[in-house]
Amino acid sequence: MKSLIFPELRAVLTAIAPVTDFEIAGYQQHLDRLTKPIGSLGRLEATAARFLAIRGGQVDLPLRKAVYVFAADHGIVEEGVSAYPQEVTRQMVLNFLSGGAAINVLCRAQQAQLTVVDVGVCADFDASPGLEQQKVRKGSRNMLHEPAMLEEELQQALQVGFHAAESAAAQGVTLLAAGEMGIGNTTAASAMTAALTGHDVSAVTGTGTGLTQDALAYKRAIISACLSRHTSDGDHGSDPDPLWILQSLGGLEIAAMAGMILRAASLRIPVVLDGFIVSAAAAIAVSLEEKTGDYLFAGHCSEEPGHRYLLAFLRLEPLLSLGMRLGEGTGAVLAMPLIESALRLSAEMATFDSAGVAEASL
Amino acid sequence: MKSLIFPELRAVLTAIAPVTDFEIAGYQQHLDRLTKPIGSLGRLEATAARFLAIRGGQVDLPLRKAVYVFAADHGIVEEGVSAYPQEVTRQMVLNFLSGGAAINVLCRAQQAQLTVVDVGVCADFDASPGLEQQKVRKGSRNMLHEPAMLEEELQQALQVGFHAAESAAAQGVTLLAAGEMGIGNTTAASAMTAALTGHDVSAVTGTGTGLTQDALAYKRAIISACLSRHTSDGDHGSDPDPLWILQSLGGLEIAAMAGMILRAASLRIPVVLDGFIVSAAAAIAVSLEEKTGDYLFAGHCSEEPGHRYLLAFLRLEPLLSLGMRLGEGTGAVLAMPLIESALRLSAEMATFDSAGVAEASL
């Protein structure tokens, strides 16, 4: 099988530099001189040290925060896998644009810039501030019968994500998050998680926006059928091609998020992940180039059961674990003040020397 | 044995009203009409609903946030139970007053008002903005040989806490946190936790600010000796007198925090708890009047091993779990944006009706 990697993607992958343990250790040494017992800020310390290493120590506070919410529909909803009708994708995009959704409230509170990107909603939108129209196709294809995307659709969607990261970089964004809206996308993310991690469909598939137990069993059967169609059993866990998983089982917004994450890493912009769907995109990105993981922070652990498998796959520990399962980027934005606080502590706390505080005597 | 409850305390205890499930359910019904799947904001929903019930639905945003850091020394440090020398209590109070400690950085970031209250530091301080001089005694007594406080010292310290809550109420504070500084106070909190919960000293005692394993074994032996002196074995777990536990095994700052928590509950001010020491104070408060728990939110779970036993005793689930063990109120202030975000979501999100979004169809 020919490689699905195309020239623009190859250029991004080769531009991703590692964040070295040596660089991180230098910032940890600074944290150890601050007026607190060694390590007493817990995971905030590793968060600050890695963030500073990513940015070469140059971090203006407050951070310049941005969230891109990618919206697309999914052909698989024809099979009846979601608790909500497909038109809710369009309705929620309008809700984002009028400021009434959860992600709007949280972005206002955190002063994070919000951009909605239509990569594939089954509807037309009027021009609106805060909306970028980058539609690749009205909805992905029904992956029960064909790959969710054609190869050129996958490439276009990835490049929508590249452009988002480039636009963020041009605006001086120093902390980026991806969010998503797409009725049916937990079905895609569950299929991708099973294919990427080798875990059982039953383990990685949950009720999404709120299925009954019968509907959940049906959703699992559909996902298993999709997996059988597009991946041979022998591929599970044995180095499956991540781009093929994305093309056959993903979705337009998931591809765009994977593209944004990769391009952000190549531009040394830290990305805080939201929940299950965003993490499926991140898992593709890290599978394509492992060093991408150096730029990622896990905002939260979703209640959707597949998420913990993806976090383990990504070797990331979430900052929050509040039983949320909303998406839109909400878990990522809620974690932003923790990341910012970690950086403020590093920047503003007194050292033992400067404050005249005695160090441990035992 | 005569009751240790004194008239001012009895007045506070009787003024604490329950927050009823009926009131909370009313606010949950509102949350269920917002444009998100039912329950998808996870524990933020219960947080918002209970907070709103506490305040009778009247919450101005941003919240008016305040942190009182109570500082005191501990007689037990004579026995060599801490990694840091006693003078660090004084040095850290000066660090708080000059703005260089972790709690200062976090309070600035969250726009929370910070007040340092000297209830019992073994040093004299010049008058300073942000410092309240309420010293009951220079340090608690060495609980290996006598109760940590005389009965009148306990009463005074509790009333220092009452006054802090009253002062916060007078300033219109709508979210309150207690923090502490006191070299030796994990020893006191561990002894209190063992006495209150009946768990083994070895389970509830940790390395505090950073003891070696040998020093930890010694700290546990000292705590066991203190428990033997002040509580008979038969008392463990069998309804021990919480005020006696506080008087004999606590400390001046812990008593003040218990007082602040009780008085805040009586004034219907929600309190977000910090870590192990603050939770020991809260456990005393809830033991004296169970309804106090209706007003408490657990900010985080500390790395100090006794904390999870106290959270279980308090039946509270922490909002954060970042492996922190610093105290000062830092874990509480880090959780404040989560509480505030929960309230903003409740106040600002569109409903399904207002946004024209379809509800679940399955």
Side-chain angles (χ1 to χ4, degrees):
Chain A
M1 192 180 191
K2 77 178 174 73
S3 166
L4 289 163
I5 294 182
F6 53 101
E8 293 86 348
L9 174 58
R10 185 171 308 283
V12 169
L13 295 178
T14 55
I16 299 173
V19 181
T20 69
D21 289 346
F22 178 78
E23 293 170 287
I24 294 170
Y27 296 104
Q28 182 63 54
Q29 278 170 25
H30 166 70
L31 292 165
D32 290 347
R33 287 191 291 268
L34 304 178
T35 48
K36 60 174 184 56
I38 296 281
S40 60
L41 286 171
R43 287 197 286 123
L44 293 186
E45 299 195 14
T47 300
R50 184 154 62 88
F51 195 108
L52 287 163
I54 291 170
R55 301 296 296 177
Q58 303 298 313
V59 177
D60 290 334
L61 295 171
L63 295 172
R64 188 149 185 153
K65 301 176 281 274
V67 184
Y68 286 77
V69 177
F70 298 90
D73 277 304
H74 288 258
I76 193 69
V77 300
E78 291 171 6
E79 308 301 328
V81 290
S82 175
Y84 283 81
Q86 180 168 275
E87 54 262 36
V88 167
T89 305
R90 178 185 70 84
Q91 292 165 345
M92 283 302 296
V93 166
L94 296 174
N95 198 15
F96 297 150
L97 297 176
S98 63
I103 189 64
N104 299 101
V105 177
L106 296 176
C107 281
R108 286 196 294 268
Q110 301 309 326
Q111 296 175 284
Q113 177 189 290
L114 175 63
T115 306
V116 181
V117 186
D118 172 14
V119 218
V121 182
C122 289
D124 296 308
F125 296 103
D126 294 333
S128 170
L131 173 67
E132 291 198 4
Q133 311 222 28
Q134 304 275 359
K135 202 189 304 281
V136 173
R137 185 177 190 274
K138 283 191 175 172
S140 58
R141 295 157 193 274
N142 184 341
M143 65 181 177
L144 188 61
H145 305 304
E146 59 183 323
M149 292 168 270
L150 300 182
E151 189 173 341
E152 54 266 36
E153 291 162 356
L154 169 70
Q155 293 182 3
Q156 279 182 50
L158 280 162
Q159 290 183 85
V160 169
F162 294 173
H163 296 146
E166 286 158 10
S167 157
Q171 294 168 74
V173 167
T174 50
L175 180 57
L176 191 54
E180 41 57 48
M181 179 68 221
I183 293 299
N185 66 11
T186 61
T187 298
S190 296
M192 290 172 64
T193 302
L196 274 170
T197 69
H199 287 288
D200 279 352
V201 169
S202 60
V204 302
T205 307
T207 53
T209 49
L211 293 176
T212 62
Q213 285 305 304
D214 281 355
L216 173 60
Y218 174 74
K219 175 180 175 181
R220 286 173 173 156
I222 293 286
I223 290 170
S224 295
C226 294
L227 282 165
S228 299
R229 179 167 192 101
H230 300 298
T231 64
S232 70
D233 279 342
D235 277 349
H236 285 214
S238 63
D239 214 11
D241 181 336
L243 276 185
W244 173 243
I245 290 172
L246 180 58
Q247 182 187 333
S248 61
L249 302 169
L252 294 158
E253 83 283 39
I254 301 177
M257 294 194 293
M260 190 186 88
I261 289 166
L262 287 165
R263 188 71 180 106
S266 76
L267 294 162
R268 300 192 78 93
I269 302 176
V271 178
V272 56
L273 301 181
D274 188 35
F276 184 42
I277 324 292
V278 177
S279 297
I284 297 291
V286 169
S287 297
L288 288 167
E289 173 46 70
E290 197 180 358
K291 295 193 286 283
T292 309
D294 296 354
Y295 296 86
L296 304 182
F297 297 86
H300 83 129
C301 182
S302 163
E303 197 68 2
E304 188 68 14
H307 193 204
R308 63 194 65 244
Y309 295 103
L310 288 177
L311 290 174
F313 181 86
L314 291 164
R315 279 174 281 174
L316 291 174
E317 223 182 321
L319 289 164
L320 293 169
S321 194
L322 294 167
M324 292 170 62
R325 49 181 176 78
L326 178 54
E328 302 179 2
T330 51
V333 179
L334 274 173
M336 286 181 168
L338 296 174
I339 296 171
E340 197 159 73
S341 291
L343 293 166
R344 282 192 192 280
L345 288 162
S346 175
E348 297 180 22
M349 276 180 74
T351 63
F352 281 103
D353 275 355
S354 72
V357 174
E359 299 205 42
S361 57
L362 284 183
Chain B
M1 193 178 189
K2 78 177 174 70
S3 166
L4 289 162
I5 294 180
F6 54 101
E8 293 86 347
L9 174 58
R10 185 171 308 283
V12 169
L13 296 178
T14 54
I16 299 173
V19 181
T20 69
D21 289 345
F22 178 78
E23 292 169 289
I24 294 170
Y27 297 104
Q28 183 62 54
Q29 278 170 24
H30 166 69
L31 292 165
D32 291 347
R33 286 191 291 267
L34 303 178
T35 47
K36 59 173 184 55
I38 296 281
S40 61
L41 287 170
R43 288 198 285 123
L44 293 186
E45 299 195 13
T47 299
R50 184 153 62 89
F51 196 107
L52 288 163
I54 290 171
R55 302 296 296 178
Q58 303 299 311
V59 177
D60 290 334
L61 295 171
L63 295 172
R64 187 148 186 154
K65 299 176 281 275
V67 184
Y68 287 76
V69 176
F70 297 90
D73 278 305
H74 288 259
I76 193 69
V77 299
E78 290 171 6
E79 307 301 328
V81 290
S82 175
Y84 283 81
Q86 181 168 276
E87 54 262 37
V88 167
T89 306
R90 177 185 70 84
Q91 292 165 346
M92 283 301 296
V93 167
L94 295 174
N95 198 16
F96 297 149
L97 297 176
S98 63
I103 189 65
N104 298 103
V105 176
L106 296 175
C107 281
R108 284 196 295 269
Q110 300 309 326
Q111 296 176 283
Q113 177 189 289
L114 175 63
T115 306
V116 181
V117 186
D118 173 14
V119 220
V121 182
C122 289
D124 296 308
F125 296 103
D126 294 333
S128 170
L131 174 66
E132 292 199 5
Q133 311 223 27
Q134 304 275 359
K135 203 190 303 282
V136 174
R137 185 176 189 274
K138 284 192 174 171
S140 59
R141 296 157 192 273
N142 184 339
M143 66 182 177
L144 188 61
H145 304 304
E146 60 183 321
M149 291 167 271
L150 301 181
E151 190 173 340
E152 53 267 36
E153 291 161 357
L154 169 70
Q155 293 182 3
Q156 279 182 52
L158 281 162
Q159 290 181 85
V160 169
F162 294 172
H163 295 146
E166 287 158 9
S167 158
Q171 292 168 75
V173 166
T174 50
L175 180 57
L176 191 55
E180 41 58 46
M181 179 68 221
I183 294 299
N185 67 10
T186 62
T187 298
S190 296
M192 291 172 63
T193 303
L196 273 170
T197 69
H199 287 288
D200 280 351
V201 169
S202 60
V204 302
T205 307
T207 54
T209 49
L211 293 175
T212 62
Q213 284 306 303
D214 280 356
L216 173 59
Y218 174 74
K219 176 180 174 181
R220 287 174 172 156
I222 293 287
I223 291 170
S224 295
C226 294
L227 282 165
S228 299
R229 179 168 192 101
H230 300 299
T231 63
S232 70
D233 279 343
D235 278 349
H236 285 213
S238 63
D239 213 11
D241 182 335
L243 277 185
W244 172 242
I245 290 172
L246 179 58
Q247 182 187 334
S248 61
L249 302 169
L252 294 157
E253 84 282 39
I254 301 177
M257 293 193 295
M260 190 186 88
I261 289 165
L262 287 165
R263 189 72 180 106
S266 76
L267 293 162
R268 300 192 78 93
I269 303 176
V271 178
V272 55
L273 301 181
D274 188 35
F276 184 41
I277 325 291
V278 177
S279 297
I284 297 291
V286 169
S287 297
L288 288 166
E289 174 47 68
E290 196 179 359
K291 294 192 287 283
T292 309
D294 296 353
Y295 296 86
L296 304 181
F297 297 86
H300 83 129
C301 183
S302 164
E303 198 67 2
E304 188 68 14
H307 194 204
R308 65 193 65 243
Y309 295 103
L310 287 176
L311 290 173
F313 181 86
L314 290 164
R315 278 174 281 175
L316 292 174
E317 222 182 323
L319 289 164
L320 293 169
S321 194
L322 294 167
M324 293 170 62
R325 50 182 175 78
L326 177 54
E328 302 178 3
T330 51
V333 179
L334 273 173
M336 285 180 168
L338 295 173
I339 296 171
E340 197 159 73
S341 291
L343 293 166
R344 281 192 193 280
L345 288 161
S346 175
E348 297 179 23
M349 277 180 74
T351 62
F352 281 101
D353 275 355
S354 73
V357 174
E359 300 205 40
S361 57
L362 283 181

